[in-house]
Amino acid sequence: MIHDPNRIYVFDTTLRDGEQVPGCQLTTSEKIEIAKELELLGVDVIEAGFPISSPGDFQSVVELSKAVSEPIICALTRANNKDIDAAVAALQYAKRPRIHTGIGASDMHIQYKFNSTREEILRRGVEAVKYAKKFVEDIEFYAEDAGRADNAFLAQMVEAVIAAGATVVNIPDTNGYCLPDQYGAKIKYLMDNVKNIDQAIISVHCHNDLGLATANSIAGIMNGARQVECTINGIGERAGNTSLEEVAMVLKTHTSLGKYTNINSKKFHQLSGMVSRMMRMPVQPNKAIVGKNAFAHSSGIHQDGVLKFRENYEIINPEDVGINQSEIILTARSGRHALKHHLERLGYVADKINLEEVYERFLILADKKKEINDDDLLSLMGEGTNNYKDGIHIKLLQVQCGHPLVPTSTIQIEYKNEVKEASATGNGPVNATINAVNAIIGKDINLKELHIDSIHGGSTDSCKVTMTLVYDGKTYMGYGFHTDIVQASAQAYLDAVNKFI
């Protein structure tokens, strides 16, 4: 078989091995939806199911064969004719069909699973390949529990099934037993001792029982394997399978390895979420590549380093896996640089902010809350204390309203170390307060929008006031938070004014 020795084929078994997780079964329509996304992702092979296992699995293979055209569609069987007949029937509509048949290779499986001998197991494996070859050209053979198999016998089995017509031979570390150097050496042994090894592609299929699935897969690739079998999010029986996104990004990041896939990594984030939702299996937050914390930074030292130069603490650009940007999480461990970054993101001009004053109050709040969100920051900036180096600050606010009084507001503000006071009327207490502020600052300001929202609900709750002002042809947003709507409105107005005055 002629192929690019540096091209790694991606065999996705999310819909077969991945679906064996208890409680994660999919309907046929859900499988089709995921399969179409896998096709767009660029996988080379989709293992669609185990047709003889149930009528539903059989039908899923049939429908997936109709739904996708680019990837090879693969059906799993055991080494017997009935299984293979079912796979052939299920694959009748596949444009590029593959039968994946095999049998145990380790002495443990031969003795305790099959109660058989090496010679008999070898015969059954060869006969299964020959029988499947009568119907489908592309035959993959799996030597189950190859990770614990004797290397000399494994080489004998691989050579025999290739001679019988296998185009791909899968060397599974079925129980996740091997260490990377052991597994890599096993693949190298096969490459060096199987005479017809050049006539087939060697595939790695590793489980994660010791957390080594990705490392073992990479070790196999570096020793001659040209296909990697994996799942989205690393889902699968027990501790799971090799994670597709991890292997793809290892090869993409370590270009010195000289290996590549045809995977469009920018689709990882979206596809990871789809599989997680459909299979009702959350992705652990610290999962490599697609976990919610994979590109999140909360340490002040790390945040400062990332903001100065992303690669200080990120070896992968988040955009390469479909995430817009890194997440700088504000906590009590965050520094001034991270706080400044978020304030600028919210529209504040760093040169005008009294950062030391805001940072001191930020730390007090951060000690009370585990994580600071945007509303918390807006609240800090909308309180009207010394947030701005040369800003306007409220010293006193008093309003009179209610039938039959005319709404009147008296406000006292400090600006450039000078305290000024004014009173004004309006069509309500908020309008009167704005008129009083304008009487002091003497600016032609247009209030474009005003929104008042209850943060949690209830008459005693704090409210959030958002104001949009237009001054000198430019638009400015201001925010205020308080249990008193008028006080919150005054804070929001001055928060916006302080951005341009």
Side-chain angles (χ1 to χ4, degrees):
M1 178 176 289
I2 299 173
H3 63 277
D4 181 350
N6 295 319
R7 163 79 186 280
I8 304 302
Y9 298 94
V10 176
F11 177 113
D12 182 89
T13 185
T14 302
L15 302 179
R16 200 278 301 171
D17 210 338
E19 205 213 11
Q20 291 176 194
V21 177
C24 293
Q25 283 64 49
L26 298 168
T27 64
T28 296
S29 61
E30 287 173 330
K31 286 186 178 182
I32 290 172
E33 192 173 345
I34 291 174
K36 287 181 176 179
E37 290 300 318
L38 290 170
E39 183 174 30
L40 294 174
L41 181 68
V43 304
D44 300 288
V45 185
I46 295 176
E47 189 164 45
F50 187 3
I52 204 167
S53 65
S54 73
D57 232 35
F58 181 95
Q59 194 59 34
S60 289
V61 176
V62 171
E63 296 304 324
L64 260 69
S65 297
K66 297 176 182 177
V68 299
S69 56
E70 287 301 315
I72 293 167
I73 298 298
C74 179
L76 184 73
T77 80
R78 293 163 297 188
N80 66 61
N81 291 359
K82 284 184 65 177
D83 279 28
I84 293 168
D85 288 340
V88 170
L91 290 168
Q92 61 182 303
Y93 298 106
K95 298 170 183 64
R96 303 172 66 195
R98 175 184 291 180
I99 290 176
H100 190 189
T101 192
I103 200 164
S106 70
D107 289 331
M108 183 173 293
H109 275 216
I110 291 169
Q111 180 177 353
Y112 295 108
K113 181 177 178 181
F114 296 102
N115 192 25
S116 187
T117 64
R118 285 184 175 183
E119 293 72 25
E120 174 63 14
I121 289 296
L122 191 60
R123 182 192 66 78
R124 288 175 61 181
V126 168
E127 286 187 357
V129 171
K130 287 182 176 179
Y131 184 72
K133 195 76 171 180
K134 294 178 182 179
F135 309 100
V136 175
E137 176 60 30
D138 190 4
I139 306 298
E140 178 170 343
F141 180 85
Y142 63 84
E144 189 176 14
D145 201 25
R148 294 187 294 180
D150 174 72
N151 284 352
F153 175 66
L154 183 62
Q156 183 184 357
M157 176 179 275
V158 171
E159 190 168 311
V161 297
I162 293 175
T167 50
V168 180
V169 182
N170 177 11
I171 312 299
D173 184 22
T174 305
N175 297 289
Y177 171 77
C178 288
L179 297 174
D181 63 329
Q182 293 173 329
Y183 190 71
K186 188 177 289 283
I187 300 300
K188 187 176 189 305
Y189 181 89
L190 297 176
M191 301 302 294
D192 293 341
N193 292 278
V194 175
K195 295 176 183 177
N196 55 1
I197 197 78
D198 61 324
Q199 296 175 31
I201 291 174
I202 295 300
S203 182
V204 293
H205 179 119
C206 300
H207 281 259
N208 206 40
D209 298 70
L210 292 174
L212 295 170
T214 296
N216 283 338
S217 295
I218 296 298
I221 288 170
M222 296 317 300
N223 282 280
R226 290 293 169 264
Q227 177 177 282
V228 58
E229 307 194 4
C230 39
T231 62
I232 296 296
N233 298 336
I235 62 172
E237 280 198 274
R238 305 185 313 278
N241 289 53
T242 302
S243 164
L244 191 161
E245 58 274 9
E246 290 175 16
V247 170
M249 293 312 295
V250 167
L251 298 182
K252 187 169 185 174
T253 301
H254 288 275
T255 54
S256 61
L257 297 178
K259 310 298 180 186
Y260 70 95
T261 69
N262 281 354
I263 293 295
N264 177 7
S265 63
K266 292 186 177 181
K267 299 189 72 64
F268 279 146
H269 183 66
Q270 177 262 337
L271 184 50
S272 167
M274 172 188 282
V275 170
S276 175
R277 289 190 300 274
M278 286 189 176
M279 290 192 165
R280 297 164 294 282
M281 189 172 184
V283 178
Q284 65 189 66
N286 63 326
K287 167 73 172 66
I289 316 300
V290 293
K292 74 172 187 176
N293 292 343
F295 297 94
H297 307 273
S298 66
S299 161
I301 294 172
H302 284 221
Q303 290 174 339
D304 181 64
V306 166
L307 291 170
K308 286 175 177 173
F309 183 58
R310 180 186 61 78
E311 293 181 31
N312 278 328
Y313 287 100
E314 288 182 353
I315 60 171
I316 297 170
N317 186 335
E319 293 181 357
D320 286 346
V321 296
I323 298 171
N324 289 335
Q325 61 183 3
S326 309
E327 194 173 0
I328 304 296
I329 308 297
L330 288 176
T331 69
R333 295 179 300 280
S334 299
R336 293 165 182 79
H337 198 166
L339 176 61
K340 176 173 170 283
H341 164 77
H342 276 285
L343 291 175
E344 289 178 329
R345 180 178 59 80
L346 293 172
Y348 292 94
V349 180
D351 290 343
K352 292 186 176 183
I353 297 171
N354 187 344
L355 190 60
E356 286 302 316
E357 157 67 19
V358 178
Y359 185 64
E360 287 179 13
R361 292 187 297 110
F362 161 79
L363 289 178
I364 294 172
L365 180 62
D367 277 335
K368 297 177 181 177
K369 297 189 66 178
K370 290 184 177 180
E371 194 172 304
I372 301 298
N373 59 35
D374 285 356
D375 275 352
D376 294 323
L377 290 181
L378 295 174
S379 176
L380 281 175
M381 294 305 294
E383 286 177 352
T385 55
N386 300 316
N387 293 334
Y388 294 91
K389 294 175 182 176
D390 298 310
I392 298 174
H393 314 300
I394 299 174
K395 302 294 288 183
L396 177 144
L397 174 62
Q398 187 175 34
V399 295
Q400 292 180 324
C401 60
H403 183 76
L405 301 174
V406 175
T408 304
S409 177
T410 299
I411 193 165
Q412 192 180 85
I413 61 176
E414 181 181 357
Y415 179 51
K416 293 184 177 180
N417 297 319
E418 185 179 352
V419 177
K420 294 184 179 181
E421 182 178 309
S423 296
T425 59
N427 58 19
V430 172
N431 179 242
T433 299
I434 291 172
N435 290 340
V437 172
N438 288 344
I440 295 174
I441 63 178
K443 302 287 185 180
D444 184 16
I445 302 169
N446 176 31
L447 174 58
K448 186 177 180 181
E449 290 184 21
L450 183 151
H451 292 286
I452 301 174
D453 300 293
S454 175
I455 296 177
H456 300 295
S459 60
T460 61
D461 187 28
S462 292
C463 69
K464 171 186 174 183
V465 175
T466 305
M467 287 195 183
T468 305
L469 309 186
V470 178
Y471 175 71
D472 197 23
K474 295 181 180 179
T475 300
Y476 300 89
M477 299 284 286
Y479 305 89
F481 293 75
H482 206 276
T483 53
D484 185 316
I485 290 176
V486 180
Q487 182 74 26
S489 299
Q491 290 175 357
Y493 192 76
L494 287 179
D495 184 40
V497 169
N498 277 326
K499 291 175 180 175
F500 62 79
I501 199 165

